[in-house]
Each structure stands twice: as structure tokens, then as C-alpha cells.
Amino acid sequence: MNTIFGQNSTRSADRRREILLLSVTLMVAVLMLYLYGAIDYTRELFSAWDLHKYRALGIAAPSIDPSVPRPFTYRILGPFLAGVMPFGPDTSFYMLNCVCSIALVALMFRFMRRIGFSPRLSAAVTVLYIFNKHFFGFTSWNYFHTNDVLMNIFIIWMFWSMLDGRWLAFAIAMALASVTRETFLIMVPTLLVYLAERREARGEYMRALSALLPG
């Protein structure tokens, strides 16, 4: 009995330590979202940037702005979500981007744990990602690029689902990713290589390949 209670106590302490590290990581993310600042898209310097296409899509939501060219008009998920929020377009994009960025940080930490990293190493890797001005900083500053943040979420979601063989979850993530950015297509060869290396049974192959169809 003492052994059982000791094991439970150890697991509880490990769980508290993991929650603490995740909380600290999320606080770092919130701090860096503030420190990265926000783009002043009205400056002439940024007049030709892609953000204006996404902003136009958000303003038109839930309709489609026919003046927005390809491929931007196909990247509708982020602008649509911002556009249907009950705020002005700039506030909506900024709030949505912050929420998605924090969700990405939490998901990344949990994924690091899933693939076997310790809580400390998971926190360290995630914090280093937050400090990267290209991967996290740019999309924090240029908050109209919420699609980039969403795509990172979907790629982790698809990769995690692939590892666990949860093909319905994989299919849902791929379908959502297909209206976010074209980057989701990287998961097609990734999935094929993964299945080939594992020498999966025919039935598992068919379920996995079927999960690609919605996307």
C-alpha cells in the first residue's frame, strides 16, 4: 500500500510540475506577444503586403470579396473567423491571432511531451520557438497572418493524429487546413513515408489514405 501511495504521490508531483512548466511557457508567450508589438499597416512601406488581401477577406466575411486574387481568396479560414467576430476587423484579427498563438504554444508543449520529451525539455523547446522572430515573432507582429498560425496548429494536429492512428481527426484537420494555406500538402508525402516505414496492413493503409480525401 505504501508503494502504491508513493507512486501516486510521485505522479501527482510530476503532474503539478508539468502544469507549472506549461503555465510558465504560456506566460512567456503572452509576454512576447506584447513585446513583439503590432504592425502599422497604414504605412506606405506595407502598402503592397499580403496582409491587405487577408484584411479585405475579413471585412467581406461571411461573403467573399471577388476582387481578392488567387491564392489569397482560397485562404479563407482565418479571415472568415476574424470577419464574423463582433468587433472591428483590426481588433478581431489581433484577438484571434493572439488566441491562436497561445493555443499553438500549448499544443506544441503537449506534442513535445507526446513524442517523449521531458517537461523541462518540452518547455525549453517551446520557449525557444516563441523567441524565434521569424516563426513566432513575425506572425505575432503581423497579426493579419493568422492563417500561418492556424496552419502550424493543423500540422501538429495532423502529425499527432497520424502517430496515434486517429484518422478521423486527421481528416478533419486536413479539411480545415485546405482552406487555410497550401502548406498542409506537406503532410501527404509525410503520411505515405510514415506508412511505408511502418509496413502497415492494407486496412490501415486504406483508412489513412481515405483521411486525405476531405482535404
Side-chain angles (χ1 to χ4, degrees), residues 75-191:
R75 302 171 182 171
I76 192 61
L77 184 59
F80 176 83
L81 293 175
V84 298
M85 291 173 65
F87 311 103
D90 298 349
T91 301
S92 296
F93 268 102
Y94 185 77
M95 291 177 62
L96 178 64
N97 191 71
C98 286
V99 170
C100 291
S101 297
I102 292 170
L104 171 61
V105 166
L107 183 62
M108 179 173 290
F109 178 93
R110 293 299 303 149
F111 182 69
M112 293 297 107
R113 294 288 294 127
R114 163 62 181 81
I115 61 176
F117 285 19
S118 68
R120 287 184 179 180
L121 186 54
S122 299
V125 169
T126 308
V127 167
L128 287 175
Y129 176 80
I130 294 169
F131 287 161
N132 188 297
K133 68 177 183 178
H134 301 289
F135 295 151
F136 190 84
F138 179 79
T139 56
S140 301
W141 171 70
N142 188 356
Y143 52 91
F144 294 100
H145 278 241
T146 305
N147 277 341
D148 292 359
V149 183
L150 286 169
M151 182 52 60
N152 287 334
I153 290 174
F154 292 141
I155 286 178
I156 295 176
W157 179 355
M158 285 186 282
F159 209 102
W160 197 335
S161 300
M162 180 184 71
L163 294 179
D164 291 348
R166 294 181 289 112
W167 302 119
L168 177 59
F170 186 99
I172 293 171
M174 177 157 279
L176 292 172
S178 69
V179 289
T180 305
R181 279 191 70 94
E182 308 82 76
T183 318
F184 81 99
L185 290 170
I186 196 173
M187 288 304 298
V188 175
T190 300
L191 176 61

Side-chain angles (χ1 to χ4, degrees), residues 41-86:
Y41 66 87
T42 61
R43 293 178 59 188
E44 181 66 25
L45 175 65
F46 308 124
S47 61
W49 280 31
D50 295 348
L51 68 90
H52 295 284
K53 312 294 193 308
Y54 298 125
R55 189 170 184 273
L57 288 171
I59 292 173
S63 299
I64 301 295
D65 186 343
S67 68
V68 177
R70 295 175 295 177
F72 306 103
T73 192
Y74 298 136
R75 302 171 182 171
I76 192 61
L77 184 59
F80 176 83
L81 293 175
V84 298
M85 291 173 65

Side-chain angles (χ1 to χ4, degrees), residues 6-22:
Q7 290 175 344
N8 289 339
S9 177
T10 300
R11 283 196 293 266
S12 297
D14 291 342
R15 183 62 177 167
R16 287 194 298 270
R17 188 179 302 110
E18 182 172 341
I19 292 173
L20 175 61
L21 286 168
L22 175 57

